[in-house]
Amino acid sequence: MAEEKKEGSLKAEEILRSYCRDGEAVVLPGNPLLSFQGRIDWGKEEGPLWTYPATSVTMRFRGRKLCAVVTNLHSYWDNYLGFIVDGKEGKVPLAKEGVSCIPLIEENEEGEHVLCLFKRQDACHRILLHGFLVDGGFRLLDPPPSPERKIEVYGDSVSAGEVSEALDCCGLPDPPHQGELSNSYASYAWILARSLNACIHDIAQGGAGLLDGTGFFLADRLRGMESIYDKAAYSPEPWQTADWDFTRYTPDVVIVALGQNDSHPLDYMAQDYEGEAAVRWRRAYRAFLERLRSIYPKAVIICATTILEHDESWDRAIGEVCEGLGDRRVFHFLYQENGKGTKGHVRRPEAEKMARELASFITSLEGFEKWKA
């Protein structure tokens, strides 16, 4: 199901037309033949604001030329936008400020194309999508049908696909990088959704734990998923947010993939499982699951960590919380190499294996047999 869209605002149109050349036309973000996916802030006059990885827009069209017009709101790393044109994946670097016109289709003869433009990275940057510039003979066609199945993921850098393209480093620590190796399309989360023919909202932020004051996201004022999960958008610097309306997307499956970064700066779950900090985390994790259950009363909730190395006490804690809830639609899932599969981030081949395992588990659940490929 495509995201609900607002009509293109005058400001977005003004931006587009200021970059128009003779013979070109504009396509505004509010065009009903554009199919959006992901949690998006539609409250900006300049166009939809993309914060989360795996946010995308898909279109099918006939034409000789298409350029995306965006403003990159840079926070850290180098930033890239991903695209798939007629099945071929690519990426383009983004300027750290100002409006960019990104050529995606340039050919001599008119043809039919399918484009998916997507956000490769997390809130290390945000994107204002102003719209598209096209040739005068351009014609939008009905987009590919959006899946009816829906998945939502709450996670950290692994769920976002950070450093997933370091293919020579499977099982190894990360190589030096500045963001160019991160790709949400290669995350286990989006691979899982594609394998199950499902839409995805990937609420994933590199460095985030569950609680504020832990993890690695925003080192001087650590923010956790408790400050992110209910936001349509958020800006790391300065911290600014927009609330999300949960009625706009109701997932069938919710995956909670937290517990990796929570051990920083102190691995209290491993050091003192019955200590005050560990008990407080388990209570907070339970409260988070109860909050999700109140929002999504019919969803299956799957709780997990990942194959990235961590102490097994965090998985013990998650399992204990899940069991204590007594909710027959809340499950604790462990990968075959849970917590020991790699010393670095999860690379595309490893993410594919994770997605296969998770898909097999989901399709084994009552009511999900028809989700099998």
Side-chain angles (χ1 to χ4, degrees), residues 91-104:
K91 67 180 179 182
V92 290
L94 294 169
K96 291 185 177 180
E97 59 183 21
V99 177
S100 297
C101 293
I102 302 168
L104 298 170

Side-chain angles (χ1 to χ4, degrees), residues 22-79:
D22 290 343
E24 291 183 338
V26 302
V27 176
L28 294 172
N31 192 300
L33 293 178
L34 301 183
S35 178
F36 286 85
Q37 182 171 248
R39 189 181 285 189
I40 297 170
D41 180 2
W42 285 94
K44 307 298 182 185
E45 291 183 340
E46 302 95 324
L49 177 63
W50 294 3
T51 300
Y52 294 99
T55 304
S56 68
V57 59
T58 298
M59 67 175 79
R60 190 168 69 93
F61 60 93
R62 296 189 66 85
R64 295 191 301 265
K65 176 181 179 180
L66 183 144
C67 293
V69 182
V70 305
T71 293
N72 183 38
L73 304 175
H74 170 80
S75 290
Y76 53 93
W77 298 123
D78 293 333
N79 307 142

Side-chain angles (χ1 to χ4, degrees), residues 240-254:
Q240 296 176 328
T241 64
D243 291 336
W244 172 247
D245 177 2
F246 283 95
T247 65
R248 295 180 63 182
Y249 184 85
T250 303
D252 305 288
V253 176
V254 176

Side-chain angles (χ1 to χ4, degrees), residues 119-136:
K119 195 165 184 291
R120 287 171 56 100
Q121 297 165 280
D122 60 18
C124 62
H125 75 122
R126 296 170 299 147
I127 289 289
L128 279 167
L129 176 63
H130 307 303
F132 299 91
L133 300 179
V134 299
D135 66 272

Side-chain angles (χ1 to χ4, degrees), residues 53-54 80-84 89-91 118-122 157-166 179-191 194 202 346-348 351:
Y80 297 81
L81 199 56
F83 62 89
I84 301 168
E89 184 181 349
K91 67 180 179 182
F118 65 92
K119 195 165 184 291
R120 287 171 56 100
Q121 297 165 280
D122 60 18
S157 55
V158 175
S159 298
E162 190 166 314
V163 206
S164 57
E165 291 188 342
E180 72 280 6
L181 299 175
S182 297
N183 185 2
S184 63
Y185 195 77
S187 68
Y188 79 89
W190 204 353
I191 294 171
R194 295 197 301 273
D202 193 6
V346 174
R347 320 306 177 195
R348 187 187 291 244

